[in-house]
Amino acid sequence: MAADPGKYLKAMPIVAAHPAKIERAVDRTRASHAGQPYAAIHQALVEVLQDENAQRVVPQVIEELTRQISVPRPTPFLTSTPDINDDRQQESRATPWQPQTPSVCNP
Protein backbone atom coordinates (compact mmCIF):
# COMPACT_ATOMS: atom_id res chain seq x y z
CA MET A 1 0.00 0.00 0.00
CA ALA A 2 1.63 3.23 -1.15
CA ALA A 3 1.04 6.62 0.42
CA ASP A 4 -0.57 9.27 -1.72
CA PRO A 5 2.14 11.87 -2.53
CA GLY A 6 -0.55 14.52 -2.88
CA LYS A 7 -1.48 14.20 0.79
CA TYR A 8 2.17 14.55 1.77
CA LEU A 9 2.64 17.67 -0.32
CA LYS A 10 -0.55 19.15 1.09
CA ALA A 11 0.45 18.47 4.71
CA MET A 12 4.10 19.58 4.49
CA PRO A 13 3.50 23.37 4.71
CA ILE A 14 1.32 22.85 7.78
CA VAL A 15 3.93 20.64 9.45
CA ALA A 16 6.75 23.06 8.55
CA ALA A 17 4.88 26.05 9.99
CA HIS A 18 4.38 24.45 13.42
CA PRO A 19 7.95 25.01 14.75
CA ALA A 20 7.76 28.66 13.67
CA LYS A 21 4.54 29.07 15.67
CA ILE A 22 6.20 27.55 18.73
CA GLU A 23 9.21 29.83 18.33
CA ARG A 24 6.96 32.91 18.08
CA ALA A 25 5.10 31.81 21.20
CA VAL A 26 8.35 31.38 23.13
CA ASP A 27 9.64 34.78 21.97
CA ARG A 28 6.40 36.49 22.93
CA THR A 29 6.31 34.79 26.33
CA ARG A 30 9.96 35.61 27.02
CA ALA A 31 9.39 39.26 26.09
CA SER A 32 6.33 39.65 28.29
CA HIS A 33 7.12 37.40 31.27
CA ALA A 34 10.89 37.41 31.78
CA GLY A 35 11.76 37.45 35.47
CA GLN A 36 8.36 36.21 36.62
CA PRO A 37 7.74 32.99 38.57
CA TYR A 38 7.75 29.63 36.80
CA ALA A 39 3.99 29.09 37.21
CA ALA A 40 3.15 32.45 35.65
CA ILE A 41 5.48 31.78 32.71
CA HIS A 42 4.01 28.30 32.22
CA GLN A 43 0.45 29.62 32.14
CA ALA A 44 1.37 32.44 29.79
CA LEU A 45 3.21 30.08 27.43
CA VAL A 46 0.21 27.75 27.25
CA GLU A 47 -2.06 30.70 26.44
CA VAL A 48 0.29 32.10 23.80
CA LEU A 49 0.66 28.66 22.20
CA GLN A 50 -3.13 28.50 21.94
CA ASP A 51 -3.17 32.02 20.50
CA GLU A 52 -0.60 30.95 17.88
CA ASN A 53 -2.70 27.84 17.12
CA ALA A 54 0.21 25.65 18.25
CA GLN A 55 -1.35 24.03 21.30
CA ARG A 56 -0.39 20.52 20.19
CA VAL A 57 2.93 20.45 22.03
CA VAL A 58 4.12 17.64 24.29
CA PRO A 59 3.79 18.69 27.96
CA GLN A 60 7.47 17.93 28.64
CA VAL A 61 8.44 20.36 25.85
CA ILE A 62 6.27 23.07 27.39
CA GLU A 63 7.90 22.45 30.78
CA GLU A 64 11.40 22.65 29.29
CA LEU A 65 10.58 25.83 27.36
CA THR A 66 9.13 27.32 30.54
CA ARG A 67 12.31 26.44 32.42
CA GLN A 68 14.45 28.05 29.71
CA ILE A 69 12.36 31.23 29.77
CA SER A 70 12.52 31.40 33.58
CA VAL A 71 16.33 31.24 33.66
CA PRO A 72 17.89 34.67 33.02
CA ARG A 73 19.86 34.85 29.80
CA PRO A 74 23.41 36.18 29.92
CA THR A 75 23.82 39.59 28.33
CA PRO A 76 27.34 39.74 26.89
CA PHE A 77 26.70 43.04 25.14
CA LEU A 78 25.85 44.92 28.31
CA THR A 79 29.25 44.60 29.95
CA SER A 80 31.21 47.70 30.81
CA THR A 81 33.94 48.84 28.45
CA PRO A 82 37.18 50.40 29.59
CA ASP A 83 37.37 54.18 29.52
CA ILE A 84 40.40 55.30 27.53
CA ASN A 85 40.56 58.49 29.60
CA ASP A 86 40.88 56.66 32.92
CA ASP A 87 44.23 57.63 34.52
CA ARG A 88 44.73 54.23 36.15
CA GLN A 89 44.56 52.55 32.76
CA GLN A 90 46.93 55.14 31.29
CA GLU A 91 49.47 54.29 34.00
CA SER A 92 49.20 50.56 33.42
CA ARG A 93 49.83 51.06 29.70
CA ALA A 94 52.79 53.37 30.37
CA THR A 95 54.83 50.76 32.24
CA PRO A 96 55.79 47.79 30.10
CA TRP A 97 55.93 44.35 31.62
CA GLN A 98 59.37 43.35 32.83
CA PRO A 99 60.23 39.68 33.28
CA GLN A 100 61.39 38.75 36.75
CA THR A 101 64.87 37.33 37.03
CA PRO A 102 64.91 34.12 39.02
CA SER A 103 66.49 34.40 42.43
CA VAL A 104 69.27 31.99 43.09
CA CYS A 105 69.82 30.64 46.56
CA ASN A 106 73.47 30.39 47.56
CA PRO A 107 74.09 27.70 50.15
Side-chain angles (χ1 to χ4, degrees), residues 2-4 7 20 22 34 36 39 57 59 71 84-85 93 98 103 105-106:
D4 181 16
K7 288 182 180 180
I22 295 171
Q36 294 189 15
V57 179
V71 174
I84 61 171
N85 297 321
R93 277 187 254 136
Q98 297 289 327
S103 61
C105 294
N106 291 329

Side-chain angles (χ1 to χ4, degrees), residues 18 29 60 78 81 89 104:
H18 193 69
T29 306
Q60 291 85 351
L78 297 179
T81 57
Q89 292 176 1
V104 178

Side-chain angles (χ1 to χ4, degrees), residues 33-81:
H33 289 78
Q36 294 189 15
Y38 180 92
I41 294 170
H42 187 275
Q43 181 61 35
L45 181 58
V46 169
E47 291 172 6
V48 174
L49 284 167
Q50 290 174 350
D51 186 46
E52 288 285 345
N53 197 21
Q55 61 271 19
R56 296 183 74 185
V57 179
V58 178
Q60 291 85 351
V61 171
I62 294 174
E63 291 170 8
E64 175 60 20
L65 292 170
T66 302
R67 186 196 64 76
Q68 290 177 13
I69 294 169
S70 68
V71 174
R73 296 170 99 180
T75 53
F77 300 112
L78 297 179
T79 59
S80 62
T81 57

Side-chain angles (χ1 to χ4, degrees), residues 14-31:
I14 298 167
V15 171
H18 193 69
K21 291 177 182 181
I22 295 171
E23 186 174 1
R24 276 194 308 271
V26 169
D27 290 342
R28 286 175 53 192
T29 306
R30 181 176 280 126

